[in-house]
Amino acid sequence: MKATPIDRRARRTAAAIFLALVVIYNANGREIGTVDSQPAKFTARELAVVGTLTLDRVVAERPGLAERPAFAKDRQGHVRSAYPLPPALIAAVPATVLHHSGLVDMDAPLAPNLVAKLTASLLTAAAVTLMFLAVRRLVRHSVALLTALAIGIGTNYWSVVSQTLWQHESVALGLALALWAWLRPLSEIRSRDLWLGGLGLALAGAARPQVAPLVAILLGWLGARVGVRKTIPPAAIMGLAALVSLVCNYVWFGHLLGAAPRLEAVHPETHGLEGTISTTPWVGALGLLISPSRGLLVFSPFVLVALAARRLPATTSGMFALRWLAAGIVVQFAVYAGYTVWWGGHTYGPRYTMDLIAPMAPAIALGLERAASVAWARIAVGLLLLWSIVVAGAGAFVYPNDAWNTSPAEVDRAHHRLWEVRDSQIPRVWRSGSSPQNFDLFSAEAVRRPAS
C-alpha cells in the first residue's frame, strides 16, 4: 500500500529523531559505566571474538575483576556475568560486525567501551523513536515530536540509560516496542503487532526481571483490549523467554534466579543494609520522587505534565485503556520504593524510575497537548523542560567527575547524603569541570591496539 503524505512525514520525523539522538548521546565520546554495567560489554566482546559467554579470558587479563560480585563463578568454575544476558547478546551483534569487518580491533583498550556505548545509544534512541510513533496516535504531530525530544534529552535517557549497558536500555526498547505495537485502535491491531509487542515485553522482562510486575500488567492491558485468545501468542513468547532464563540460571548457578542472590548478599557490606525488602517503603517512594540527588521530579520535573492526562475525555481513555498503563507505573514504582537500595547505588540522578518512562509517554504527550492550549502552562512547561535538558546534559558531560557518590563520604553507606540539599549532585556537577574521559572513544585506543 502506498504511504500517505502523513505516513511519509511521520517516517521522516522518526528517522530524524533517531539520528539526532544517536549523535547527541555519543557527543561526549565516552562510556559512562559503573561496576555493575561492565560484565555485559566484556561478554559481548567474548561472544564476538571467541564465541563464548564465559569471562575467563577477561579475568585472566584483568585479575582485579574477579573480586567484583558482578563477575560470578558458575558451578563449572567459569566466570560469567552475574546479570541477565540480553544486553550482552544484543551488544554482541555490533561487536561481531565491527570485529569481522576489521573496523575495530576488539582487543583495543577501549573497544569494549565503544561497543557498550554504541549499543546503549542505539537502543535508547530507537526506544524514543518508537514512543514518538506510538503517541502520535493520541496527539498532534508537533506534540508527539515535543514528547520524544523531552523524553530523549530531558531525562536520564541521555545521561544514564544511553551511556552503557545498564539493562535499562533494553527495558526501554522492549517497553517502547510493546507500546508502539499495542497503543492503536483495536481495528488496527494485527497478528504482527501481537507478536512484536510480546517480543518487546519478553526482552524487557528477560533483561531486567525487576520489571516483571510492569510487564505482567502490560500483558493484562493487551488482554483487556483484545481478549484472552489473542493474548496467548505474546504470552507464549514471554513465557518461553522466562523459561530459557530460568533454565540457564539453574544450569550455570544452581539457582532459578542465577547469581542474583549473591548480589543481594553483599548489601550489608556494600550498602550497610540488611535484606532486599525495605521496612520503610515510604522513604524510598519520597526518595525516588524528590531526593535532591535521586528524585525524578528534581532531575526531570517536566514529567509532572503527565498529571494533566488524568482529565482525559472518557472516549480517549476508554478506547486505549490507558488506566492499565497508569496501574503498571504505580505498581512498578511501589516495587522500586520497597527496595532497600532504592537510590540505585553509584549513578547520576534517578536510574530505576527510567523504567517507567515508556509507559508514561502517552500521559506525557496528552499532558503536553493540554498545556499547549494555555499560555501560562506553556511557559511553565517550557521552563521545566529547559531545566530538565540542562541537568541531563550536564550529567552526560561531567558525571562522574563530580565525585558526589564518594566525597565527602560513600553514599552507599552515608545514606543521609541522599537528602542533602546544599551539596546535592546537581550543584556539585555544575561546579565541577567536564569529565577528562570525554571524547576518549574518538581516539585510536577505541579501535586499535597500541603498537608493540
Side-chain angles (χ1 to χ4, degrees):
M1 180 182 295
K2 185 177 180 180
T4 65
I6 294 179
D7 291 333
R8 289 197 295 270
R9 182 188 184 196
R11 291 172 185 173
R12 288 195 299 268
T13 304
I17 291 171
F18 177 78
L19 293 174
L21 288 178
V22 170
V23 171
I24 291 170
Y25 292 158
N26 287 279
N28 58 0
R30 65 186 171 110
E31 178 211 15
I32 305 179
T34 63
V35 172
D36 293 349
S37 66
Q38 301 312 289
K41 71 183 185 185
F42 286 116
T43 300
R45 188 196 74 171
E46 294 302 278
L47 191 56
V49 175
V50 294
T52 181
L53 293 172
T54 64
L55 298 172
D56 301 340
R57 191 170 74 110
V58 174
V59 170
E61 294 172 352
R62 301 169 174 82
L65 295 178
E67 305 300 319
R68 299 180 179 181
F71 291 78
K73 276 198 173 184
D74 65 15
R75 294 199 292 179
Q76 292 75 40
H78 297 295
V79 180
R80 296 183 184 273
S81 172
Y83 290 94
L85 279 176
L89 296 178
I90 296 173
V93 176
T96 300
V97 172
L98 293 172
H99 171 63
H100 288 287
S101 66
L103 292 174
V104 174
D105 181 347
M106 282 298 143
D107 287 320
L110 297 179
N113 306 48
L114 176 65
V115 168
K117 176 61 176 285
L118 180 62
T119 304
S121 62
L122 288 172
L123 295 186
T124 309
V128 176
T129 303
L130 287 171
M131 290 181 220
F132 160 74
L133 293 171
V135 303
R136 196 175 162 280
R137 302 181 187 122
L138 300 176
V139 296
R140 289 172 293 154
H141 183 94
S142 59
V143 176
L145 174 58
L146 179 60
T147 302
L149 295 178
I151 289 173
I153 61 176
T155 70
N156 271 6
Y157 269 29
W158 183 0
S159 48
V160 173
V161 177
S162 65
Q163 300 298 311
T164 192
L165 298 171
W166 292 93
Q167 303 170 18
H168 301 292
E169 74 295 324
S170 300
V171 171
L173 178 63
L175 296 181
L177 180 57
L179 189 72
W180 171 78
W182 297 344
L183 188 71
R184 60 182 76 211
L186 283 176
S187 60
E188 296 181 15
I189 299 179
R190 298 176 173 81
S191 296
R192 179 200 64 176
D193 304 314
L194 298 175
W195 286 92
L196 287 174
L199 285 171
L201 292 188
L203 170 61
R208 187 164 172 77
Q210 293 93 327
V211 300
L214 176 57
V215 165
I217 291 173
L218 291 183
L219 183 64
W221 170 50
L222 176 68
R225 299 191 66 211
V226 303
V228 174
R229 185 178 62 83
K230 290 186 177 180
T231 309
I232 292 175
I237 295 173
M238 295 163 59
L240 178 61
L243 179 62
V244 170
S245 297
L246 293 173
V247 169
C248 290
N249 285 339
Y250 188 78
V251 170
W252 290 335
F253 299 107
H255 195 290
L256 292 178
L257 297 180
R262 303 184 195 178
L263 295 173
E264 297 299 323
V266 304
H267 283 332
E269 177 184 354
T270 304
H271 304 109
L273 295 167
E274 295 290 340
T276 300
I277 307 302
S278 173
T279 58
T280 56
W282 54 89
V283 174
L286 287 173
L288 290 171
L289 291 176
I290 61 171
S291 162
S293 296
R294 290 295 185 269
L296 176 64
L297 301 183
V298 175
F299 282 73
S300 299
F302 83 89
V303 300
L304 283 168
V305 76
L307 296 176
R310 291 185 306 168
R311 299 178 60 186
L312 284 175
T315 52
T316 302
S317 181
M319 179 185 298
F320 296 100
L322 296 180
R323 289 192 175 124
W324 281 85
L325 298 182
I329 293 168
V330 170
V331 170
Q332 189 63 47
F333 178 84
V335 169
Y336 282 142
Y339 186 41
T340 50
V341 191
W342 56 264
W343 60 91
H346 286 197
T347 182
Y348 175 74
R351 181 160 69 89
Y352 292 158
T353 49
M354 291 301 98
D355 293 338
L356 309 179
I357 296 297
M360 197 186 296
I364 292 173
L366 291 164
L368 288 173
E369 181 92 274
R370 287 179 60 85
S373 62
V374 182
W376 69 264
R378 289 198 300 270
I379 296 172
V381 171
L383 292 174
L384 293 177
L385 182 54
L386 177 62
W387 168 274
S388 303
I389 293 172
V390 170
V391 168
F397 283 91
V398 177
Y399 172 79
N401 197 45
D402 58 292
W404 183 87
N405 288 295
T406 55
S407 176
E410 168 62 59
V411 70
D412 278 334
R413 300 192 68 84
H415 305 150
H416 66 276
R417 297 190 58 232
L418 293 161
W419 302 99
E420 171 63 42
V421 175
R422 287 187 178 181
D423 188 31
S424 57
Q425 199 166 24
I426 293 174
R428 178 80 75 88
V429 162
W430 285 343
R431 292 195 301 266
S432 304
S434 297
S435 170
Q437 285 78 41
N438 282 344
F439 318 123
D440 276 359
L441 295 183
F442 301 151
S443 69
E445 287 189 322
V447 294
R448 291 289 179 266
R449 277 176 284 185
S452 300

